[in-house]
Amino acid sequence: MKILGIESSCDECAAAVVVDGSLILSNVVLSQVDFHKPFHGVVPEIASRKHIEWIRPVVEEALSVAGVTAAELDAIAVTYRPGLVGSLLVGLSFAKGLALALAKPLVGVDHILAHLYAPHLETTIPYPYLGLLVSGGHTIIARVSRYDTLEVLGTTIDDACGEAFDKVAKHYGMGYPGGIAIDRLARAGDPRSFRFPKPSLHKGDSLYDVSYSGLKTAVIHQLDQFWNGKSEKSPANIAASFQRVAIDLLVERVLAAAEDTGLRRIVAGGGVAANSYLRERMSSEAEIEVVFPSLKLCTDNAAMVAGYAFHAAREGRISDLALNAEARVPMFKRAYP
Ligand code: KG4
Ligand code: ZN
């Protein structure tokens, strides 16, 4: 089954052709990063306008690289939630038009589930496992029992992990996008220069919840308070010290969830899964099997959308043309989707 995937939930305009949920024939990702850089963050209005300009050439490129004509496709898959609604609508409307014109089935795909599917494009991973989804908008620790079913065990009670990286980088002018800038800068820094605090969570929160707003405040507004008094207060030292705590607190929760659930396999996904310290730390855990997607499949792409859709289409889960974009998915506290 040859499926065209389309992804436009944020600032990457992407299209891909994937066969039977695993063979990637093309994976085109056009990043808008240069257009958002002057603002140190994604500007929704610019994002949707760029998607409108780029969606058609990006889809054409994906088909051309794959050597597949539109008529040969078996289905059109598209991210419909969560994300920036104006951006989502561009990909969704384009996909609907294509599906209607070609009389092909449309498969609406949830971006979170697609991120978790990404490593399945590269290797066979049996279910169930512990999913760790860390991106700019989400931080989720979940028991994943099928490609479309996850039970959320923990989430963030405030900022997402990637959002904390982005905000710290923006405040100190470390570079844009923030996550990759901090990751690079941290390599030259001493992670013990600042002893930033780990969050104390409230009684009502789940054992596996995380919180980033306290850490963000400490790094941005209370630097001196946590300084070791010896190291230089350099951007590299700030980046390394922040990154260590931001990742360590996540890893502690994931390992606690692995211990308590007995799930010894952890599968990561989302932009922050590209973080080199997270990859290094998790991979050094004995007795735990850790699967990370390759870097290209961590951040937003359409191959994960097309790959996921193969399983949905095979089970007859075809979307209606009335499918609408959704900015958010109701809170992840209990079950998802
Ligand atoms: O999955 P993604 O491309 O888009 C969303 O669905 O949000 O993730 C983007 C997020 C951003 O917050 C970005 O700063 C972060 O992933 N990110 C990283 C790294 N690469 C991207 N965070 C830490 N280290 C990285 N190497
Ligand atoms: Zn994403």
Side-chain angles (χ1 to χ4, degrees):
M1 204 186 266
K2 289 192 188 77
I3 299 187
L4 169 72
I6 295 177
E7 158 65 46
S8 70
S9 65
C10 191
D11 61 337
E12 262 93 30
C13 190
V17 178
V18 177
V19 181
D20 294 345
S22 61
L23 177 64
I24 303 176
L25 296 185
S26 63
N27 185 16
V28 179
V29 181
L30 208 56
S31 171
Q32 302 180 356
V33 108
D34 290 342
F35 298 91
H36 301 286
K37 203 177 250 169
F39 308 95
H40 304 282
V42 177
V43 182
E45 185 63 23
I46 296 177
S48 33
R49 281 166 190 263
K50 283 290 152 205
H51 284 308
I52 291 170
E53 283 173 34
W54 291 356
I55 189 82
R56 183 176 172 164
V58 164
V59 167
E60 283 172 350
E61 173 80 1
L63 290 172
S64 147
V65 172
V68 169
T69 64
E72 288 167 337
L73 294 170
D74 295 294
I76 318 286
V78 63
T79 302
Y80 76 104
R81 73 173 193 185
L84 299 171
V85 106
S87 291
L88 284 166
L89 278 171
V90 177
L92 181 57
S93 307
F94 192 89
K96 281 184 191 177
L98 211 52
L100 189 64
L102 297 166
K104 309 277 181 190
L106 176 77
V107 184
V109 176
D110 179 302
H111 185 78
I112 301 295
L113 296 173
H115 265 305
L116 279 171
Y117 185 79
H120 292 261
L121 289 161
E122 300 176 311
T123 176
T124 304
I125 313 168
Y127 294 98
Y129 56 75
L130 204 59
L132 171 64
L133 191 278
V134 265
S135 71
H138 300 91
T139 310
I140 296 173
I141 297 172
R143 174 201 294 273
V144 185
S145 47
R146 251 175 73 92
Y147 74 98
D148 65 342
T149 312
L150 58 86
E151 180 198 346
V152 178
L153 304 173
T155 183
T156 176
I157 60 163
D158 39 56
D159 293 349
C161 183
E163 194 181 348
F165 273 82
D166 294 336
K167 286 180 176 167
V168 167
K170 179 178 177 179
H171 181 81
Y172 288 107
M174 290 167 169
Y176 178 81
I180 184 110
I182 288 185
D183 193 343
R184 284 205 190 113
L185 206 53
R187 280 172 215 163
D190 173 5
R192 315 232 163 237
S193 310
F194 299 89
R195 297 177 206 285
F196 295 126
K198 290 210 177 125
S200 48
L201 293 155
H202 308 290
K203 271 204 189 104
D205 301 321
S206 133
L207 276 177
Y208 316 114
D209 279 348
V210 292
S211 160
Y212 281 102
S213 83
L215 174 61
K216 180 188 68 189
T217 305
V219 178
I220 292 179
H221 300 297
Q222 302 162 330
L223 204 56
D224 285 343
Q225 209 172 309
F226 300 105
W227 183 40
N228 70 8
K230 296 186 281 274
S231 311
E232 198 191 331
K233 287 186 205 164
S234 64
N237 284 344
I238 297 171
S241 305
F242 159 73
Q243 176 175 269
R244 183 171 62 92
V245 178
I247 298 297
D248 281 355
L249 72 90
L250 191 64
V251 172
E252 278 166 24
R253 296 296 198 280
V254 180
L255 294 180
E259 181 72 35
D260 296 351
T261 58
L263 295 169
R264 311 310 281 170
R265 187 179 311 113
I266 300 175
V267 178
V272 186
N275 183 267
S276 55
Y277 176 60
L278 173 67
R279 293 172 89 96
E280 200 185 289
R281 265 228 51 189
M282 294 291 288
S283 305
S284 65
E285 284 300 323
E287 294 171 35
I288 299 261
E289 182 196 343
V290 187
V291 186
F292 279 98
S294 59
L295 295 184
K296 178 138 200 213
L297 292 177
C298 284
T299 43
D300 289 351
N301 65 86
M304 64 187 190
V305 177
Y308 177 98
F310 165 70
H311 300 275
R314 207 170 44 164
E315 292 180 355
R317 300 171 71 168
I318 303 305
S319 305
D320 202 87
L321 286 179
L323 181 69
N324 206 352
E326 292 170 32
R328 291 173 194 284
V329 180
M331 274 314 284
F332 313 114
K333 286 290 178 191
R334 296 288 167 257
Y336 191 90

